[in-house]
């Protein structure tokens, strides 16, 4: 269950017209905090991000579906208490290093490499435009 504060931040981002991925970033950030606090772990930074995005989808952030998977039903699905407990116990056995600065840096670098030149250029232009507005 995401914290109330996280959901409020995500909703504020969406109201401001920011992209759904920006709003989902709040959930990913919260997930990283949880891993660092030792509430549970993850095997990799990718898994930690996936958990955060999953929470964002459940909270109603309009994110695109996971690649190759059909859209889930709109009605929220609640796992049984037994299954939820088993999931949490399995995550607790995972290492904490997935949320380390180094792991996140590597993940960001890899995902940036997968993007094309035009995509990176477009993102840079968009960032430059926001800087012009502020000044």
């Amino acid at each position: 269950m995401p914290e109330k504060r996280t959901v409020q931040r995500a909703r504020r981002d969406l109201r401001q017209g920011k992209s759904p991925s920006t709003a989902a970033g709040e959930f990913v950030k919260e997930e990283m905090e949880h891993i660092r606090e030792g509430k549970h772990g993850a095997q990799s930074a990718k898994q930690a991000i996936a958990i955060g995005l999953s929470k964002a989808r459940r909270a109603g952030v309009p994110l695109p579906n996971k690649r190759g998977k059909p859209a889930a039903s709109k009605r929220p699905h609640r796992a049984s208490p037994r299954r939820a407990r088993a999931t949490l116990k399995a995550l607790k056995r995972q290492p904490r290093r997935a949320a380390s600065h180094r792991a996140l840096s590597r993940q960001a670098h890899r995902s940036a490499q997968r993007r094309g030149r035009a995509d990176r250029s477009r993102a840079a232009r968009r960032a430059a435009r926001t800087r012009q507005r502020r000044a």
Side-chain angles (χ1 to χ4, degrees):
M1 189 79 199
E3 294 169 13
K4 193 175 177 183
R5 188 180 55 174
T6 305
V7 177
Q8 286 172 343
R9 282 189 190 139
R11 288 214 176 108
R12 184 192 60 209
D13 287 346
L14 291 171
R15 268 198 316 272
Q16 289 176 350
K18 292 181 181 175
S19 71
S21 61
T22 304
E26 295 295 339
F27 290 90
V28 174
K29 205 179 291 181
E30 181 192 55
E31 192 55 35
M32 295 301 168
E33 283 174 19
H34 285 331
I35 292 171
R36 286 176 185 148
E37 287 167 1
K39 284 188 181 177
H40 58 79
Q43 279 193 321
S44 64
K46 209 175 207 178
Q47 185 188 16
I49 292 166
I51 294 168
L53 291 177
S54 175
K55 284 182 178 180
R57 283 191 186 94
R58 284 182 177 185
V61 176
L63 284 168
N65 301 324
K66 298 174 205 168
R67 282 189 201 158
K69 297 252 180 158
S73 63
K74 293 292 176 191
R75 198 185 68 208
H77 171 73
R78 296 268 314 177
S80 68
R82 190 175 187 177
R83 186 172 177 179
R85 201 165 43 248
T87 307
L88 196 66
K89 278 181 79 174
L91 279 169
K92 272 206 175 276
R93 289 193 298 268
Q94 300 295 340
R96 313 271 172 264
R97 66 176 170 264
S100 69
H101 183 80
R102 187 177 182 191
L104 295 177
S105 174
R106 278 182 178 167
Q107 167 62 27
H109 194 79
R110 280 194 200 119
S111 61
Q113 279 181 325
R114 278 196 300 270
R115 295 169 74 181
R117 185 177 173 194
D119 194 19
R120 286 196 304 269
S121 179
R122 196 178 316 115
R125 269 200 209 93
R126 195 182 308 136
R129 254 200 325 269
T130 62
R131 278 197 296 273
Q132 286 170 352
R133 266 192 234 134
R134 283 185 186 171

Short mmCIF file of all heavy atoms in Angstrom, two decimals, residues 11-78:
data_model
loop_
_atom_site.label_atom_id
_atom_site.label_comp_id
_atom_site.label_asym_id
_atom_site.label_seq_id
_atom_site.Cartn_x
_atom_site.Cartn_y
_atom_site.Cartn_z
N ARG A 11 -0.62 12.66 -7.75
CA ARG A 11 -1.82 13.35 -8.25
C ARG A 11 -1.50 14.80 -8.61
O ARG A 11 -1.99 15.33 -9.60
CB ARG A 11 -2.93 13.31 -7.20
CG ARG A 11 -3.52 11.93 -7.07
CD ARG A 11 -5.00 11.98 -6.75
NE ARG A 11 -5.54 10.62 -6.73
CZ ARG A 11 -5.90 9.98 -5.63
NH1 ARG A 11 -5.82 10.57 -4.47
NH2 ARG A 11 -6.38 8.76 -5.70
N ARG A 12 -0.67 15.44 -7.76
CA ARG A 12 -0.27 16.82 -8.03
C ARG A 12 0.49 16.91 -9.37
O ARG A 12 0.24 17.79 -10.18
CB ARG A 12 0.62 17.34 -6.90
CG ARG A 12 0.99 18.81 -7.05
CD ARG A 12 2.09 19.22 -6.10
NE ARG A 12 3.28 18.42 -6.37
CZ ARG A 12 4.20 18.09 -5.47
NH1 ARG A 12 4.06 18.46 -4.22
NH2 ARG A 12 5.25 17.39 -5.81
N ASP A 13 1.39 15.94 -9.60
CA ASP A 13 2.14 15.91 -10.86
C ASP A 13 1.20 15.80 -12.05
O ASP A 13 1.36 16.50 -13.06
CB ASP A 13 3.12 14.74 -10.88
CG ASP A 13 4.32 14.96 -9.96
OD1 ASP A 13 4.53 16.11 -9.53
OD2 ASP A 13 5.04 13.97 -9.70
N LEU A 14 0.20 14.93 -11.94
CA LEU A 14 -0.75 14.75 -13.04
C LEU A 14 -1.60 16.00 -13.26
O LEU A 14 -1.88 16.38 -14.40
CB LEU A 14 -1.64 13.53 -12.77
CG LEU A 14 -0.94 12.18 -12.83
CD1 LEU A 14 -1.87 11.08 -12.34
CD2 LEU A 14 -0.44 11.87 -14.23
N ARG A 15 -1.99 16.65 -12.16
CA ARG A 15 -2.77 17.90 -12.28
C ARG A 15 -1.97 18.98 -12.98
O ARG A 15 -2.52 19.80 -13.72
CB ARG A 15 -3.18 18.40 -10.89
CG ARG A 15 -4.52 17.92 -10.41
CD ARG A 15 -5.05 18.77 -9.27
NE ARG A 15 -4.06 19.08 -8.25
CZ ARG A 15 -3.78 18.33 -7.19
NH1 ARG A 15 -4.41 17.20 -7.01
NH2 ARG A 15 -2.88 18.71 -6.31
N GLN A 16 -0.66 19.01 -12.72
CA GLN A 16 0.21 20.01 -13.33
C GLN A 16 0.48 19.73 -14.80
O GLN A 16 1.16 20.48 -15.46
CB GLN A 16 1.54 20.10 -12.57
CG GLN A 16 1.42 20.72 -11.20
CD GLN A 16 2.75 20.69 -10.44
OE1 GLN A 16 3.70 20.05 -10.86
NE2 GLN A 16 2.78 21.38 -9.32
N GLY A 17 -0.04 18.60 -15.28
CA GLY A 17 0.13 18.27 -16.70
C GLY A 17 1.42 17.52 -16.99
O GLY A 17 1.81 17.41 -18.14
N LYS A 18 2.07 17.03 -15.95
CA LYS A 18 3.31 16.28 -16.18
C LYS A 18 2.96 14.89 -16.70
O LYS A 18 1.82 14.43 -16.56
CB LYS A 18 4.11 16.19 -14.89
CG LYS A 18 4.65 17.55 -14.46
CD LYS A 18 5.46 17.47 -13.21
CE LYS A 18 5.95 18.85 -12.82
NZ LYS A 18 6.64 18.84 -11.53
N SER A 19 3.93 14.23 -17.28
CA SER A 19 3.66 12.92 -17.88
C SER A 19 3.39 11.88 -16.80
O SER A 19 3.87 12.02 -15.67
CB SER A 19 4.85 12.48 -18.73
OG SER A 19 5.93 12.15 -17.91
N PRO A 20 2.64 10.83 -17.16
CA PRO A 20 2.35 9.77 -16.19
C PRO A 20 3.62 9.13 -15.63
O PRO A 20 3.67 8.73 -14.46
CB PRO A 20 1.55 8.76 -16.99
CG PRO A 20 0.90 9.56 -18.06
CD PRO A 20 1.88 10.63 -18.40
N SER A 21 4.68 9.07 -16.43
CA SER A 21 5.92 8.46 -15.94
C SER A 21 6.53 9.29 -14.82
O SER A 21 7.17 8.76 -13.92
CB SER A 21 6.93 8.26 -17.07
OG SER A 21 7.27 9.49 -17.65
N THR A 22 6.33 10.62 -14.87
CA THR A 22 6.82 11.49 -13.80
C THR A 22 6.07 11.21 -12.51
O THR A 22 6.65 11.11 -11.44
CB THR A 22 6.67 12.98 -14.19
OG1 THR A 22 7.34 13.20 -15.42
CG2 THR A 22 7.22 13.90 -13.13
N ALA A 23 4.75 11.06 -12.64
CA ALA A 23 3.92 10.75 -11.47
C ALA A 23 4.31 9.38 -10.90
O ALA A 23 4.39 9.20 -9.69
CB ALA A 23 2.45 10.77 -11.86
N ALA A 24 4.59 8.43 -11.80
CA ALA A 24 4.97 7.09 -11.36
C ALA A 24 6.32 7.11 -10.66
O ALA A 24 6.60 6.28 -9.79
CB ALA A 24 5.02 6.15 -12.55
N GLY A 25 7.15 8.09 -11.00
CA GLY A 25 8.46 8.23 -10.37
C GLY A 25 8.37 8.39 -8.87
O GLY A 25 9.27 7.98 -8.13
N GLU A 26 7.27 8.99 -8.42
CA GLU A 26 7.06 9.17 -6.96
C GLU A 26 6.95 7.80 -6.28
O GLU A 26 7.47 7.60 -5.20
CB GLU A 26 5.80 10.00 -6.69
CG GLU A 26 5.87 11.43 -7.17
CD GLU A 26 6.92 12.28 -6.45
OE1 GLU A 26 7.31 11.91 -5.32
OE2 GLU A 26 7.34 13.28 -7.03
N PHE A 27 6.27 6.88 -6.94
CA PHE A 27 6.09 5.54 -6.37
C PHE A 27 7.41 4.77 -6.40
O PHE A 27 7.72 4.03 -5.47
CB PHE A 27 5.02 4.77 -7.16
CG PHE A 27 3.64 5.30 -6.94
CD1 PHE A 27 3.13 6.30 -7.76
CD2 PHE A 27 2.84 4.83 -5.91
CE1 PHE A 27 1.86 6.81 -7.55
CE2 PHE A 27 1.57 5.34 -5.69
CZ PHE A 27 1.08 6.33 -6.51
N VAL A 28 8.19 4.97 -7.47
CA VAL A 28 9.48 4.30 -7.57
C VAL A 28 10.41 4.82 -6.48
O VAL A 28 11.12 4.06 -5.82
CB VAL A 28 10.10 4.50 -8.98
CG1 VAL A 28 11.51 3.94 -9.04
CG2 VAL A 28 9.22 3.86 -10.04
N LYS A 29 10.36 6.14 -6.25
CA LYS A 29 11.18 6.77 -5.22
C LYS A 29 10.83 6.18 -3.84
O LYS A 29 11.70 5.85 -3.05
CB LYS A 29 10.91 8.28 -5.22
CG LYS A 29 12.04 9.11 -4.68
CD LYS A 29 11.72 10.58 -4.74
CE LYS A 29 11.66 11.11 -6.17
NZ LYS A 29 11.38 12.55 -6.24
N GLU A 30 9.53 6.05 -3.59
CA GLU A 30 9.07 5.48 -2.32
C GLU A 30 9.57 4.04 -2.17
O GLU A 30 10.00 3.63 -1.10
CB GLU A 30 7.55 5.50 -2.26
CG GLU A 30 7.01 4.96 -0.95
CD GLU A 30 5.52 4.69 -0.97
OE1 GLU A 30 5.05 3.95 -1.86
OE2 GLU A 30 4.82 5.22 -0.10
N GLU A 31 9.53 3.30 -3.27
CA GLU A 31 9.98 1.90 -3.25
C GLU A 31 11.47 1.82 -2.89
O GLU A 31 11.88 0.97 -2.11
CB GLU A 31 9.73 1.28 -4.62
CG GLU A 31 9.88 -0.21 -4.65
CD GLU A 31 9.03 -0.91 -3.63
OE1 GLU A 31 7.91 -0.48 -3.34
OE2 GLU A 31 9.51 -1.93 -3.09
N MET A 32 12.25 2.72 -3.45
CA MET A 32 13.70 2.75 -3.15
C MET A 32 13.92 3.02 -1.66
O MET A 32 14.78 2.41 -1.03
CB MET A 32 14.41 3.83 -3.97
CG MET A 32 14.39 3.58 -5.45
SD MET A 32 15.17 2.03 -5.88
CE MET A 32 14.68 1.89 -7.58
N GLU A 33 13.13 3.94 -1.11
CA GLU A 33 13.22 4.24 0.32
C GLU A 33 12.92 3.00 1.15
O GLU A 33 13.62 2.69 2.11
CB GLU A 33 12.24 5.36 0.71
CG GLU A 33 12.69 6.75 0.32
CD GLU A 33 11.61 7.80 0.59
OE1 GLU A 33 10.69 7.52 1.39
OE2 GLU A 33 11.71 8.87 0.00
N HIS A 34 11.86 2.28 0.77
CA HIS A 34 11.47 1.07 1.50
C HIS A 34 12.60 0.04 1.48
O HIS A 34 12.88 -0.60 2.50
CB HIS A 34 10.22 0.45 0.90
CG HIS A 34 8.97 1.20 1.21
ND1 HIS A 34 8.80 1.93 2.36
CD2 HIS A 34 7.80 1.33 0.52
CE1 HIS A 34 7.59 2.48 2.36
NE2 HIS A 34 6.98 2.13 1.25
N ILE A 35 13.23 -0.12 0.34
CA ILE A 35 14.31 -1.10 0.23
C ILE A 35 15.49 -0.67 1.10
O ILE A 35 16.07 -1.49 1.82
CB ILE A 35 14.73 -1.29 -1.23
CG1 ILE A 35 13.59 -1.97 -2.01
CG2 ILE A 35 16.00 -2.12 -1.34
CD1 ILE A 35 13.78 -2.02 -3.50
N ARG A 36 15.82 0.62 1.06
CA ARG A 36 16.94 1.10 1.87
C ARG A 36 16.66 0.99 3.37
O ARG A 36 17.57 0.74 4.16
CB ARG A 36 17.24 2.56 1.52
CG ARG A 36 17.93 2.69 0.18
CD ARG A 36 18.13 4.12 -0.22
NE ARG A 36 18.69 4.17 -1.56
CZ ARG A 36 18.44 5.13 -2.42
NH1 ARG A 36 17.65 6.14 -2.09
NH2 ARG A 36 18.98 5.12 -3.62
N GLU A 37 15.39 1.18 3.75
CA GLU A 37 15.01 1.06 5.16
C GLU A 37 15.02 -0.39 5.63
O GLU A 37 15.00 -0.65 6.83
CB GLU A 37 13.59 1.62 5.38
CG GLU A 37 13.50 3.13 5.30
CD GLU A 37 12.07 3.62 5.19
OE1 GLU A 37 11.13 2.79 5.20
OE2 GLU A 37 11.87 4.84 5.07
N GLY A 38 14.98 -1.32 4.69
CA GLY A 38 14.98 -2.73 5.05
C GLY A 38 13.58 -3.30 5.20
O GLY A 38 13.42 -4.38 5.74
N LYS A 39 12.56 -2.55 4.74
CA LYS A 39 11.20 -3.09 4.80
C LYS A 39 11.11 -4.34 3.92
O LYS A 39 10.40 -5.28 4.22
CB LYS A 39 10.18 -2.05 4.34
CG LYS A 39 9.92 -0.98 5.36
CD LYS A 39 8.79 -0.08 4.95
CE LYS A 39 8.56 1.01 5.99
NZ LYS A 39 7.50 1.94 5.57
N HIS A 40 11.82 -4.32 2.82
CA HIS A 40 12.01 -5.48 1.96
C HIS A 40 13.13 -5.22 1.00
O HIS A 40 13.67 -4.11 0.97
CB HIS A 40 10.71 -5.86 1.23
CG HIS A 40 10.16 -4.76 0.39
ND1 HIS A 40 10.66 -4.46 -0.85
CD2 HIS A 40 9.16 -3.88 0.61
CE1 HIS A 40 9.99 -3.44 -1.36
NE2 HIS A 40 9.08 -3.06 -0.49
N GLY A 41 13.52 -6.20 0.22
CA GLY A 41 14.62 -6.03 -0.72
C GLY A 41 14.18 -6.29 -2.13
O GLY A 41 13.00 -6.48 -2.40
N ALA A 42 15.14 -6.27 -3.06
CA ALA A 42 14.89 -6.59 -4.45
C ALA A 42 16.19 -7.14 -5.00
O ALA A 42 17.27 -6.81 -4.51
CB ALA A 42 14.47 -5.35 -5.21
N GLN A 43 16.10 -7.99 -6.02
CA GLN A 43 17.32 -8.59 -6.56
C GLN A 43 18.09 -7.61 -7.43
O GLN A 43 19.30 -7.69 -7.53
CB GLN A 43 16.98 -9.83 -7.37
CG GLN A 43 16.76 -11.03 -6.49
CD GLN A 43 16.73 -12.32 -7.28
OE1 GLN A 43 16.18 -12.37 -8.37
NE2 GLN A 43 17.31 -13.35 -6.73
N SER A 44 17.36 -6.71 -8.08
CA SER A 44 18.03 -5.76 -8.98
C SER A 44 17.29 -4.44 -8.96
O SER A 44 16.15 -4.36 -8.50
CB SER A 44 18.03 -6.32 -10.40
OG SER A 44 16.69 -6.43 -10.87
N ALA A 45 17.93 -3.43 -9.49
CA ALA A 45 17.29 -2.11 -9.59
C ALA A 45 16.06 -2.20 -10.49
O ALA A 45 15.04 -1.56 -10.25
CB ALA A 45 18.28 -1.10 -10.15
N LYS A 46 16.16 -3.03 -11.50
CA LYS A 46 15.05 -3.23 -12.45
C LYS A 46 13.81 -3.75 -11.71
O LYS A 46 12.70 -3.30 -11.96
CB LYS A 46 15.48 -4.23 -13.52
CG LYS A 46 14.82 -4.05 -14.84
CD LYS A 46 15.44 -5.03 -15.82
CE LYS A 46 15.33 -4.50 -17.23
NZ LYS A 46 15.94 -5.39 -18.20
N GLN A 47 14.03 -4.70 -10.80
CA GLN A 47 12.92 -5.27 -10.03
C GLN A 47 12.33 -4.21 -9.10
O GLN A 47 11.10 -4.11 -8.97
CB GLN A 47 13.38 -6.46 -9.21
CG GLN A 47 12.22 -7.15 -8.49
CD GLN A 47 12.68 -8.23 -7.52
OE1 GLN A 47 13.85 -8.29 -7.14
NE2 GLN A 47 11.75 -9.07 -7.10
N ALA A 48 13.19 -3.40 -8.50
CA ALA A 48 12.72 -2.35 -7.60
C ALA A 48 11.85 -1.35 -8.35
O ALA A 48 10.80 -0.93 -7.87
CB ALA A 48 13.92 -1.64 -6.97
N ILE A 49 12.28 -0.99 -9.55
CA ILE A 49 11.52 -0.05 -10.39
C ILE A 49 10.19 -0.69 -10.79
O ILE A 49 9.13 -0.04 -10.75
CB ILE A 49 12.33 0.35 -11.63
CG1 ILE A 49 13.54 1.20 -11.21
CG2 ILE A 49 11.48 1.11 -12.64
CD1 ILE A 49 14.59 1.38 -12.27
N ALA A 50 10.22 -1.97 -11.14
CA ALA A 50 9.00 -2.68 -11.54
C ALA A 50 7.98 -2.70 -10.41
O ALA A 50 6.78 -2.52 -10.64
CB ALA A 50 9.34 -4.10 -11.98
N ILE A 51 8.44 -2.89 -9.18
CA ILE A 51 7.54 -2.90 -8.03
C ILE A 51 6.89 -1.53 -7.88
O ILE A 51 5.69 -1.41 -7.66
CB ILE A 51 8.28 -3.32 -6.74
CG1 ILE A 51 8.74 -4.77 -6.82
CG2 ILE A 51 7.38 -3.13 -5.51
CD1 ILE A 51 9.72 -5.18 -5.73
N GLY A 52 7.70 -0.47 -8.01
CA GLY A 52 7.19 0.90 -7.91
C GLY A 52 6.16 1.21 -8.99
O GLY A 52 5.11 1.80 -8.72
N LEU A 53 6.43 0.77 -10.23
CA LEU A 53 5.50 1.01 -11.33
C LEU A 53 4.20 0.24 -11.14
O LEU A 53 3.11 0.74 -11.46
CB LEU A 53 6.14 0.63 -12.67
CG LEU A 53 7.28 1.51 -13.15
CD1 LEU A 53 7.87 0.97 -14.44
CD2 LEU A 53 6.84 2.94 -13.33
N SER A 54 4.33 -0.96 -10.59
CA SER A 54 3.14 -1.77 -10.32
C SER A 54 2.24 -1.06 -9.30
O SER A 54 1.01 -1.00 -9.46
CB SER A 54 3.56 -3.14 -9.79
OG SER A 54 2.44 -3.89 -9.43
N LYS A 55 2.86 -0.49 -8.25
CA LYS A 55 2.09 0.25 -7.25
C LYS A 55 1.43 1.47 -7.87
O LYS A 55 0.29 1.82 -7.54
CB LYS A 55 3.01 0.70 -6.10
CG LYS A 55 3.37 -0.42 -5.16
CD LYS A 55 4.22 0.10 -4.02
CE LYS A 55 4.54 -1.00 -3.02
NZ LYS A 55 5.36 -0.52 -1.92
N ALA A 56 2.13 2.12 -8.78
CA ALA A 56 1.59 3.30 -9.46
C ALA A 56 0.36 2.92 -10.28
O ALA A 56 -0.65 3.62 -10.26
CB ALA A 56 2.65 3.94 -10.35
N ARG A 57 0.46 1.80 -11.00
CA ARG A 57 -0.68 1.35 -11.82
C ARG A 57 -1.90 1.06 -10.93
O ARG A 57 -3.02 1.42 -11.26
CB ARG A 57 -0.31 0.09 -12.60
CG ARG A 57 0.53 0.37 -13.80
CD ARG A 57 0.67 -0.85 -14.70
NE ARG A 57 1.62 -0.55 -15.76
CZ ARG A 57 2.91 -0.83 -15.71
NH1 ARG A 57 3.43 -1.44 -14.65
NH2 ARG A 57 3.71 -0.52 -16.71
N ARG A 58 -1.64 0.40 -9.80
CA ARG A 58 -2.74 0.08 -8.88
C ARG A 58 -3.37 1.33 -8.29
O ARG A 58 -4.56 1.35 -7.98
CB ARG A 58 -2.24 -0.81 -7.74
CG ARG A 58 -2.03 -2.23 -8.16
CD ARG A 58 -1.58 -3.04 -6.98
NE ARG A 58 -1.45 -4.44 -7.35
CZ ARG A 58 -1.16 -5.40 -6.49
NH1 ARG A 58 -0.96 -5.12 -5.22
NH2 ARG A 58 -1.07 -6.64 -6.89
N ALA A 59 -2.56 2.39 -8.13
CA ALA A 59 -3.07 3.64 -7.57
C ALA A 59 -3.78 4.49 -8.61
O ALA A 59 -4.31 5.55 -8.31
CB ALA A 59 -1.92 4.44 -6.96
N GLY A 60 -3.77 4.03 -9.87
CA GLY A 60 -4.53 4.72 -10.91
C GLY A 60 -3.74 5.65 -11.80
O GLY A 60 -4.32 6.43 -12.55
N VAL A 61 -2.41 5.59 -11.76
CA VAL A 61 -1.61 6.41 -12.67
C VAL A 61 -1.74 5.80 -14.07
O VAL A 61 -1.53 4.60 -14.24
CB VAL A 61 -0.12 6.45 -12.23
CG1 VAL A 61 0.73 7.22 -13.22
CG2 VAL A 61 -0.01 7.07 -10.85
N PRO A 62 -2.12 6.60 -15.07
CA PRO A 62 -2.38 6.04 -16.41
C PRO A 62 -1.10 5.69 -17.18
O PRO A 62 -0.74 6.32 -18.15
CB PRO A 62 -3.16 7.16 -17.11
CG PRO A 62 -2.69 8.40 -16.45
CD PRO A 62 -2.37 8.03 -15.03
N LEU A 63 -0.42 4.65 -16.72
CA LEU A 63 0.80 4.20 -17.38
C LEU A 63 0.49 3.20 -18.47
O LEU A 63 -0.50 2.48 -18.38
CB LEU A 63 1.71 3.51 -16.35
CG LEU A 63 2.45 4.40 -15.38
CD1 LEU A 63 3.05 3.55 -14.29
CD2 LEU A 63 3.53 5.17 -16.10
N PRO A 64 1.35 3.13 -19.51
CA PRO A 64 1.14 2.08 -20.51
C PRO A 64 1.36 0.70 -19.87
O PRO A 64 2.06 0.59 -18.86
CB PRO A 64 2.19 2.37 -21.57
CG PRO A 64 3.17 3.26 -20.94
CD PRO A 64 2.47 3.98 -19.83
N ASN A 65 0.78 -0.33 -20.46
CA ASN A 65 0.91 -1.68 -19.90
C ASN A 65 2.34 -2.18 -20.06
O ASN A 65 3.11 -1.66 -20.86
CB ASN A 65 -0.02 -2.64 -20.63
CG ASN A 65 -1.45 -2.20 -20.51
OD1 ASN A 65 -1.84 -1.69 -19.47
ND2 ASN A 65 -2.21 -2.37 -21.56
N LYS A 66 2.63 -3.23 -19.29
CA LYS A 66 3.92 -3.89 -19.44
C LYS A 66 3.98 -4.41 -20.87
O LYS A 66 2.97 -4.82 -21.43
CB LYS A 66 4.02 -5.05 -18.46
CG LYS A 66 3.94 -4.62 -17.03
CD LYS A 66 3.91 -5.86 -16.15
CE LYS A 66 3.24 -5.53 -14.84
NZ LYS A 66 2.94 -6.70 -14.08
N ARG A 67 5.15 -4.42 -21.46
CA ARG A 67 5.29 -4.84 -22.85
C ARG A 67 4.75 -6.25 -23.07
O ARG A 67 5.10 -7.17 -22.35
CB ARG A 67 6.75 -4.81 -23.27
CG ARG A 67 7.22 -3.42 -23.55
CD ARG A 67 8.59 -3.46 -24.16
NE ARG A 67 9.21 -2.16 -23.96
CZ ARG A 67 10.49 -1.96 -23.98
NH1 ARG A 67 11.31 -2.96 -24.19
NH2 ARG A 67 10.99 -0.76 -23.80
N GLY A 68 3.91 -6.37 -24.09
CA GLY A 68 3.42 -7.69 -24.47
C GLY A 68 2.34 -8.26 -23.57
O GLY A 68 1.88 -9.37 -23.78
N LYS A 69 1.92 -7.53 -22.56
CA LYS A 69 0.88 -8.05 -21.66
C LYS A 69 -0.43 -7.32 -21.97
O LYS A 69 -0.43 -6.12 -22.21
CB LYS A 69 1.27 -7.79 -20.20
CG LYS A 69 2.51 -8.50 -19.75
CD LYS A 69 2.16 -9.60 -18.84
CE LYS A 69 3.43 -10.31 -18.39
NZ LYS A 69 3.28 -11.03 -17.20
N PRO A 70 -1.54 -8.03 -21.96
CA PRO A 70 -2.83 -7.36 -22.19
C PRO A 70 -3.19 -6.46 -21.01
O PRO A 70 -2.68 -6.64 -19.90
CB PRO A 70 -3.82 -8.52 -22.31
CG PRO A 70 -3.17 -9.65 -21.60
CD PRO A 70 -1.68 -9.45 -21.75
N ALA A 71 -4.05 -5.49 -21.25
CA ALA A 71 -4.47 -4.55 -20.20
C ALA A 71 -5.21 -5.32 -19.10
O ALA A 71 -6.02 -6.19 -19.38
CB ALA A 71 -5.36 -3.48 -20.78
N ALA A 72 -4.92 -4.99 -17.87
CA ALA A 72 -5.58 -5.64 -16.73
C ALA A 72 -6.99 -5.06 -16.57
O ALA A 72 -7.27 -3.97 -17.05
CB ALA A 72 -4.77 -5.40 -15.47
N SER A 73 -7.83 -5.79 -15.88
CA SER A 73 -9.19 -5.30 -15.67
C SER A 73 -9.14 -4.07 -14.76
O SER A 73 -8.23 -3.92 -13.95
CB SER A 73 -10.06 -6.39 -15.04
OG SER A 73 -9.54 -6.73 -13.77
N LYS A 74 -10.12 -3.22 -14.87
CA LYS A 74 -10.14 -1.96 -14.12
C LYS A 74 -10.41 -2.18 -12.63
O LYS A 74 -10.02 -1.38 -11.81
CB LYS A 74 -11.20 -1.00 -14.70
CG LYS A 74 -10.87 -0.52 -16.09
CD LYS A 74 -9.67 0.39 -16.08
CE LYS A 74 -9.28 0.80 -17.48
NZ LYS A 74 -8.01 1.46 -17.56
N ARG A 75 -11.08 -3.28 -12.30
CA ARG A 75 -11.39 -3.53 -10.90
C ARG A 75 -10.11 -3.93 -10.16
O ARG A 75 -9.39 -4.83 -10.60
CB ARG A 75 -12.42 -4.67 -10.82
CG ARG A 75 -13.13 -4.71 -9.47
CD ARG A 75 -14.04 -5.90 -9.40
NE ARG A 75 -13.20 -7.10 -9.37
CZ ARG A 75 -13.58 -8.28 -9.82
NH1 ARG A 75 -14.75 -8.45 -10.30
NH2 ARG A 75 -12.77 -9.31 -9.77
N PRO A 76 -9.80 -3.28 -9.04
CA PRO A 76 -8.56 -3.61 -8.35
C PRO A 76 -8.59 -5.04 -7.79
O PRO A 76 -9.62 -5.50 -7.29
CB PRO A 76 -8.47 -2.59 -7.22
CG PRO A 76 -9.84 -2.06 -7.06
CD PRO A 76 -10.55 -2.23 -8.37
N HIS A 77 -7.48 -5.71 -7.89
CA HIS A 77 -7.37 -7.08 -7.41
C HIS A 77 -6.66 -7.09 -6.07
O HIS A 77 -5.59 -6.51 -5.93
CB HIS A 77 -6.58 -7.91 -8.42
CG HIS A 77 -6.23 -9.28 -7.92
ND1 HIS A 77 -7.17 -10.26 -7.80
CD2 HIS A 77 -5.06 -9.80 -7.49
CE1 HIS A 77 -6.58 -11.34 -7.31
NE2 HIS A 77 -5.30 -11.09 -7.13
N ARG A 78 -7.26 -7.73 -5.09
CA ARG A 78 -6.64 -7.82 -3.76
C ARG A 78 -6.12 -9.25 -3.59
O ARG A 78 -6.88 -10.21 -3.71
CB ARG A 78 -7.66 -7.52 -2.67
CG ARG A 78 -8.22 -6.12 -2.68
CD ARG A 78 -7.48 -5.16 -1.84
NE ARG A 78 -7.18 -5.67 -0.51
CZ ARG A 78 -6.48 -4.99 0.36
NH1 ARG A 78 -6.02 -3.81 0.05
NH2 ARG A 78 -6.22 -5.48 1.53
#
